[in-house]
Amino acid sequence: MPETNETVQYTADVVALTRSGHVLLIERGWPPFEGAWALPGGYVEPGEAPFVAAARELAEETGLDVPVGTLHQIGVWDQPDRDPRGAFVTFAYMAIVPEGTTVTAADDARDARWWPLNALPKQLAFDHADIIRAATATND
């Protein structure tokens, strides 16, 4: 097998859901997929556990603080072409959030809002539609 020098980046994403069927999305403020809607998430820092990164990124991008113990891992997405920047592996987590929880876009998110699961934006960034489907199948 040929040797490669490709660096794999690790990210963590959160599918925050309400019991009434809403999911929290952010509008990306940077490429790739600038202006597209996506799950809150971002890079896992060196020495940081993915579930800790997920909770941190959720708070940084939306102001929503969830205890790390309430996050449930729903899977790992590692398809080679999932991110146009290169090799990215994301750990996806789900959290059930109380109805009426307010969110505020911050950090590198232009907007943050609750979307009905049956009326999501036509195209989500990356493979986030697949991650949402996996989370809602787990939550049924």
Side-chain angles (χ1 to χ4, degrees):
M1 181 172 281
E3 193 171 314
T4 180
N5 290 328
E6 184 176 34
T7 300
V8 176
Q9 300 287 321
Y10 294 95
T11 58
D13 296 316
V14 179
V15 182
L17 298 169
T18 66
R19 298 239 181 252
S20 66
H22 289 79
V23 63
L24 178 58
L25 298 176
I26 61 151
E27 183 181 6
R28 288 179 58 85
W30 65 101
F33 299 104
E34 182 174 357
W37 291 92
L39 293 168
Y43 289 98
V44 176
E45 300 293 336
E48 185 177 42
F51 68 95
V52 174
R56 176 182 53 75
E57 287 286 345
L58 179 64
E60 287 176 2
E61 293 182 348
T62 70
L64 177 55
D65 286 308
V66 297
V68 295
T70 64
L71 292 173
H72 303 282
Q73 187 173 354
I74 55 173
V76 176
W77 275 256
D78 60 359
Q79 294 78 10
D81 61 348
R82 67 175 302 273
D83 191 310
R85 297 170 292 185
F88 277 76
V89 174
T90 197
F91 297 84
Y93 297 88
M94 180 182 63
I96 304 298
V97 178
E99 300 294 330
T101 298
T102 58
V103 294
T104 304
D107 196 25
D108 39 20
R110 285 185 188 161
D111 194 2
R113 75 171 84 145
W114 294 100
W115 288 79
L117 286 167
N118 62 2
L120 294 175
K122 287 187 186 228
Q123 185 169 348
L124 296 175
F126 307 103
D127 49 6
H128 290 186
D130 295 336
I131 296 172
I132 292 169
R133 274 192 292 279
T136 56
T138 303
N139 196 38
D140 286 343

